[in-house]
Amino acid sequence: MNRTIIALMLSAFAASSALAADLGGKYLKVGSDTTSPPMESVDPASGQIVGFDVDVVNAICAKINCKAEFVTTGWDGIFAALDQGSFDFVASGISITDERKKAMDFTAPYIVNSQAILMRVEDQALAVEDFKSKGKKLSAQANTTDADVAAGIVGKEHVVAYDTFSASILALKNKDVDGVVINGANADAYEKEFAGELVVPIRGLSSDPLGLVFRKGDANVAAFDEGIKAIKEDGTLDKLIQKYWGAK
């Protein structure tokens, strides 16, 4: 299993009978920042939104009788758009945190992910402790747990946060920062995309459970929890993990 994912398969719930949840074919719009392969991205050939989160949501809908349409939404403002009703829920590799739970409802976790650090190839010998002791700068996408992890390593004053992940990448390539803290689930994709230029030598940092996000009080959370439980128990989630990350 990919070493950047910590405990991708959570412990299965106790075996249960047929699902009680049935959303009656309900059509749901799903907000997603589609810039993070393989979690979610836009296929350049077809223009379709594809990825692990897309497959997970579709697998859940197959269990609880709903249909999902993904809508590309910028990370900065995605939760405000959810509150305003632009879509029904968010699936975008969202870390479950106590602070976020004050403003929104999460499903049960479907995977647990860890952060990694993307660097220029010539700097790949740097260790985590080098970033702090040598006054190095880290970048991350703003308002993410990646940014929190970066601050924990080098201190907030040495973190440059950008609204988009692509801006963090550009800062790294321009040598404005020395590393970018990224979602570990995406590490291999970025290493492949920037092969020979950027590399991910540090993996397995702080881990986060990921969940789907709904507006406070949304009754559909319970149904999606049942769907998550079902795709864990019947092996569907395990097959999707194998599809996207394979064995190491």
Side-chain angles (χ1 to χ4, degrees):
M1 190 65 67
N2 189 297
R3 64 186 181 277
T4 65
I5 309 300
I6 295 182
L8 273 169
M9 273 304 296
L10 302 176
S11 298
F13 292 92
S16 63
S17 56
L19 290 182
D22 186 338
L23 296 184
K26 182 182 289 187
Y27 174 84
L28 299 171
K29 295 183 75 173
V30 189
S32 188
D33 176 16
T34 56
T35 61
S36 299
M39 298 299 284
E40 49 270 320
S41 61
V42 178
D43 182 350
S46 66
Q48 298 296 308
I49 298 172
V50 297
F52 177 72
D53 279 340
V54 178
D55 287 357
V56 166
V57 168
N58 287 336
I60 293 169
C61 277
K63 297 291 186 183
I64 62 175
N65 191 17
C66 61
K67 296 178 181 178
E69 178 193 2
F70 273 69
V71 180
T72 295
T73 307
W75 175 257
D76 185 29
I78 197 168
F79 298 134
L82 173 65
D83 282 340
Q84 292 163 7
S86 298
F87 28 80
D88 298 289
F89 67 97
V90 175
S92 196
I94 307 295
S95 298
I96 301 172
T97 68
D98 289 339
E99 187 64 27
R100 286 174 177 167
K101 285 195 290 186
K102 295 175 183 178
M104 57 198 82
D105 283 345
F106 283 88
T107 62
Y110 55 99
I111 63 171
V112 177
N113 173 66
S114 64
Q115 277 79 21
I117 301 180
L118 184 69
M119 297 184 222
R120 294 181 294 273
V121 168
E122 62 266 28
D123 295 331
Q124 63 183 300
L126 288 172
V128 173
E129 55 270 20
D130 292 329
F131 278 88
K132 186 171 184 178
S133 64
K134 297 181 180 180
K136 300 293 184 179
K137 288 185 178 180
L138 283 171
S139 180
Q141 191 168 15
N143 302 314
T144 63
T145 53
D146 295 343
D148 294 338
V149 169
I153 294 172
V154 297
K156 202 168 185 178
E157 67 276 13
H158 294 293
V159 176
V160 184
Y162 294 92
D163 289 339
T164 64
F165 182 76
S166 59
S168 290
I169 292 290
L170 183 60
L172 179 61
K173 293 172 73 173
N174 288 341
K175 299 188 176 182
D176 295 325
V177 298
D178 303 291
V180 178
V181 177
I182 63 171
N183 185 319
N186 308 113
D188 288 344
Y190 292 128
E191 199 167 53
K192 181 178 179 181
E193 181 178 354
F194 300 104
E197 185 176 8
L198 304 180
V199 67
V200 186
I202 297 175
R203 304 170 186 248
L205 300 175
S206 178
S207 60
D208 298 321
L210 307 185
L212 306 176
V213 185
F214 290 77
R215 287 183 289 276
K216 271 290 185 184
D218 194 321
N220 288 332
V221 174
F224 272 78
D225 277 344
E226 283 200 47
I228 290 170
K229 177 179 177 180
I231 66 171
K232 288 178 180 179
E233 290 180 344
D234 72 1
T236 299
L237 183 57
D238 201 19
K239 289 177 182 176
L240 291 177
I241 291 167
Q242 181 71 19
K243 171 184 174 181
Y244 284 94
W245 291 283
K248 289 289 185 180

